[in-house]
Amino acid sequence: MAISQIISLFLLHLLLPLASTSLSQSSHQLICEVGTGNGGSIGGTSPLPASLSKLLIKGGTVVNAHRQERADVYVEDGIIVAVKPNIKVGDEVTVLDATGRYVMPGGIDPHTHLDAEFMGTVAVDDFFSGQAAALAGGTTMHIDFVHPVNGSLMSGFEAYEKKASKSCMDYGFHMVIRHWDESVSKEMEIMVKEKGINSFKFFMAYKGTFMVDDAVLLRGMKRCKSLGALAMVHAENGDAVFEGQKRMIERGITGPEGHALSRPPMLEAEATGRAIRLASFVNTPLYVVHVMSIDAMEEIAKARKTGQKVIGEPVVSGLVLDDSKLWDPDFITAAKYVMSPPIRESGHNKALQAALSTGVLQLVGTDHCTFNSSQKAFGIDDFRKIPNGVNGIEERMHLVWDTMESGQISVTDFVRITSTECARIFNIYPRKGAILVGSDADIIIFNPNSSFEINPRSHHSRTNTNVYEGRKGKGKVEVTISRGRIVWKDDELKVAPGSGKYIPMPPFGFLFDGIEKIDAKLVSSFKAPVPRFKSDV
Ligand code: URP
Ligand code: ZN
Ligand code: ZN
């Protein structure tokens, strides 16, 4: 990270109390001056000049998931108010020249773990540093996973509200279900009806901590269905993984390669298939997070062919990396690639890319869950103790572009899989995921003729490693606009803690359309109960 950027972030941390006070009085109080060429200084707490609340992006190609067009985009107070050619404005409006660039919706990352307590430690990126990194990479919203506290969903929600109070971009929450009882069932309703949560995640792995059994999964799916919330699964057979880990340790395989060997693709496929069948039995939509293998992807493909509503989310690590580094003789190098399900052998990545480009898989997440080398070293003698997780929130947009755009997908597809589809699935489209009149002004200006290079010394995450270190490619996010504020420009971040907003997500998204008709059809096909007369016996 450049010194000026560090200073900017540091000053903004100092300003946090000021920021939150003034922001509660007026959203125009704390500003970050943009494009002043003053080496990354911040604007402090002076009132927002009119020019920064009005923004014109001129001369670019506006790309939505449904089409691309030459148009200007005019923004007022964080909302897009016009998208059309040749918009004329007065001197009070800040103008950004997007000639030769794409103007696209900011990315939405459906899968992150900021400030997460996991495997006896805490992920190093919190809601400020993780989001700052996201903005520098063109992502303007993410959805994070709330864990219950002492079994209470409400306490978990409140804990995450606190963690997220330092946010500098918009965010939403999924909620994790770790056990089942009446109070969980009741609190799920409160989460959906009062707290803006429309998805619940069930871990089928991490035996002894997060893992739930089929009974909990079934009850949870039924409850999700009744509330119009999406059931999500981390799909690996946790019992078999536990057995696989024991086998490796017994054979003296204690290093990071043991992680991959103990949880092969067949265990991911088994759990994916099981979750799909249970969701079909309940007749509720299912979202499979971090699809890492051909085997799991094929389970999803099969189900989708029958018309079942199953969403498959590959993550960037699974799309662009392979497992070779897990065999690196240097422990720290190998350990940084440990995540679950594991990054697979070469070949799975290309197949996942193809599945994404043909619509078998629908959107790309990151599973951003970062740990420093010192945390990864907890597992130096036993791979089971290496905190699982990799980075990606900053790199996702660039890597997807570079990997997929060279022929596999169109520019509109890029917008769909990095932004729009996520907004649709979680029922916040077109407020998010679109450049349309009335949408939030979460916008990136992307130069397809520029280039990027990934380096842990200049990335914005707090982690001291980067699994994509050294990657170079075509395309660059030159400007990121978060609800009308220019937060990334000229390789400088201008972000304010407390400026991000929680985005409530309403239930009964499009995946629930027609569910009751399928139920009715099933019931009418039963030919039951059979009317019987009692015969004498
Ligand atoms: O290794 C991973 N994926 N870490 C984050 C937690 C999870 O399983 O999603
Ligand atoms: Zn997971
Ligand atoms: Zn995850």
Side-chain angles (χ1 to χ4, degrees), residues 111-113 145 201 203 206 234 289-290 340 367-369:
H111 186 159
T112 59
H113 302 272
F145 290 90
K201 179 175 176 189
F203 284 93
Y206 302 119
H234 170 132
V289 304
H290 49 41
S340 295
D367 201 3
H368 184 87
C369 185

Side-chain angles (χ1 to χ4, degrees), residues 115 127 155-167 171 173:
D115 209 354
F127 277 78
S155 303
F157 184 85
E158 286 165 0
Y160 266 76
E161 266 185 321
K162 218 171 270 163
K163 285 177 196 264
S165 61
K166 58 178 76 161
S167 286
Y171 60 94
F173 289 147

Side-chain angles (χ1 to χ4, degrees), residues 410-427:
S410 63
V411 186
T412 51
D413 285 339
F414 173 78
V415 169
R416 177 174 53 77
I417 65 179
T418 58
S419 181
T420 311
E421 199 57 21
C422 183
R424 288 183 68 238
I425 289 167
F426 294 102
N427 211 12

Side-chain angles (χ1 to χ4, degrees), residues 321-329 334 337 343-346:
L321 299 174
D322 65 47
D323 70 349
S324 52
K325 286 278 206 282
L326 287 166
W327 272 258
D328 195 286
Y337 292 86
I343 296 165
R344 306 296 186 185
E345 275 179 352
S346 183

Side-chain angles (χ1 to χ4, degrees), residues 3 144 215 285 319 498-499:
I3 296 290
D144 210 89
L319 288 169
S499 57

